[in-house]
Amino acid sequence: DVKVTQSSRYLVKRTGEKVFLECVQDMDHENMFWYRQDPGLGLRLIYFSYDVKMKEKGDIPEGYSVSREKKERFSLILESASTNQTSMYLCASGDSGRTPYEQYFGPGTRLTVT
Amino acid sequence: AQSVTQLDSHVSVSEGTPVLLRCNYSSSYSPSLFWYVQHPNKGLQLLLKYTSAATLVKGINGFEAEFKKSETSFHLTKPSAHMSDAAEYFCVVYNTNAGKSTFGDGTTLTVKP
């Protein structure tokens, strides 16, 4: 089975802190994604990566950056956390060689910024 | 451009009765469509996917979805609800050219005993 793990299930950070969310997948997938999930808004794509050191902005990249130094690991960085970044963050991975294209999700990190 | 509309934010059914979760989509291309389920405090799990090989798609846990191009719909059904089906469900359209997915806002399914 594909496994996508996220470094923390729950995080509490203070406004202005730099925050790192880590995601690791074990299926050698090319593509990895970061989403945030808010009630009534579904999932919104923050960034995605289709290869090591490659990244593309999603629909809501402002206030976030990403890093992908190794194929299995994709990090989301909040340079200076703000209260409006309190949310559930979901990482996903997928094999671009499969059609139609499906994603495998981690359990999520619930981040609270105070 | 592509979009997904889940027509109901909440659906409540009694155990043993049918489930219908509605999804309409808009896509400039032949769409790839998915339904995911999210149980409380868990990540999303794939229920089923539309491959264009058949318009009626069978998924896990007894769920099905029918692709209707003329109605631009991909509704999710199950003949008989179980308590364990209580969760949030997301309809998703994948844009091959853009390399990314668009998620609906989700439908919360409640199953009453």
Side-chain angles (χ1 to χ4, degrees):
Chain A
D1 280 350
V2 176
K3 195 165 185 183
V4 180
T5 57
Q6 296 183 228
S7 52
S8 305
R9 292 299 305 271
Y10 300 93
L11 269 182
V12 180
K13 296 292 182 180
R14 294 193 180 276
T15 301
E17 277 193 83
K18 190 169 186 176
V19 181
F20 293 87
L21 303 183
E22 303 284 339
C23 175
V24 177
Q25 51 97 359
D26 67 358
M27 279 301 292
D28 202 36
H29 285 163
E30 290 89 3
N31 296 340
M32 296 187 75
F33 306 81
W34 275 107
Y35 295 90
R36 65 175 283 174
Q37 181 180 16
D38 300 289
L41 297 178
L43 273 70
R44 294 178 291 167
L45 181 65
I46 304 171
Y47 269 95
F48 66 105
S49 168
Y50 52 87
D51 201 352
V52 176
K53 296 191 186 296
M54 306 299 287
K55 60 185 179 185
E56 292 279 344
K57 291 181 180 179
D59 300 316
I60 52 163
E62 296 78 19
Y64 304 94
S65 62
V66 290
S67 172
R68 193 165 180 201
E69 298 296 320
K70 294 185 177 181
K71 192 174 185 180
E72 67 270 19
R73 187 180 298 270
F74 191 36
S75 302
L76 180 69
I77 303 156
L78 286 66
E79 296 289 342
S80 178
S82 63
T83 55
N84 63 12
Q85 293 178 309
T86 291
S87 186
M88 170 72 88
Y89 290 88
L90 291 168
C91 175
S93 73
D95 180 357
S96 62
R98 289 183 173 273
T99 304
Y101 181 70
E102 62 185 269
Q103 297 175 47
Y104 299 85
F105 285 83
T109 296
R110 187 167 294 282
L111 173 66
T112 302
V113 183
T114 61
Chain B
Q2 60 184 27
S3 65
V4 175
T5 303
Q6 292 184 240
L7 298 169
D8 307 290
S9 58
H10 291 88
V11 170
S12 181
V13 301
S14 297
E15 191 174 19
T17 64
V19 176
L20 170 64
L21 305 183
R22 299 181 295 165
C23 173
N24 286 353
Y25 71 90
S26 145
S27 176
S28 304
Y29 307 94
S30 180
S32 294
L33 294 160
F34 306 81
W35 276 99
Y36 285 84
V37 60
Q38 184 181 31
H39 288 94
N41 299 313
K42 299 282 178 102
L44 278 71
Q45 178 187 16
L46 181 69
L47 266 182
L48 50 80
K49 58 188 176 186
Y50 168 63
T51 65
S52 78
T55 56
L56 183 62
V57 182
K58 293 186 185 296
I60 62 172
N61 300 335
F63 283 93
E64 294 182 345
E66 187 171 8
F67 173 70
K68 292 187 176 180
K69 187 175 181 178
S70 60
E71 299 177 11
T72 61
S73 70
F74 190 56
H75 301 336
L76 182 70
T77 60
K78 183 173 181 178
S80 176
H82 191 273
M83 297 297 291
S84 61
D85 295 328
E88 189 159 20
Y89 293 79
F90 293 95
C91 182
V92 182
V93 59
Y94 175 68
N95 184 327
T96 304
N97 287 355
K100 58 182 183 177
S101 301
T102 300
F103 286 73
D105 292 344
T107 298
T108 300
L109 176 65
T110 301
V111 182
K112 298 174 291 187

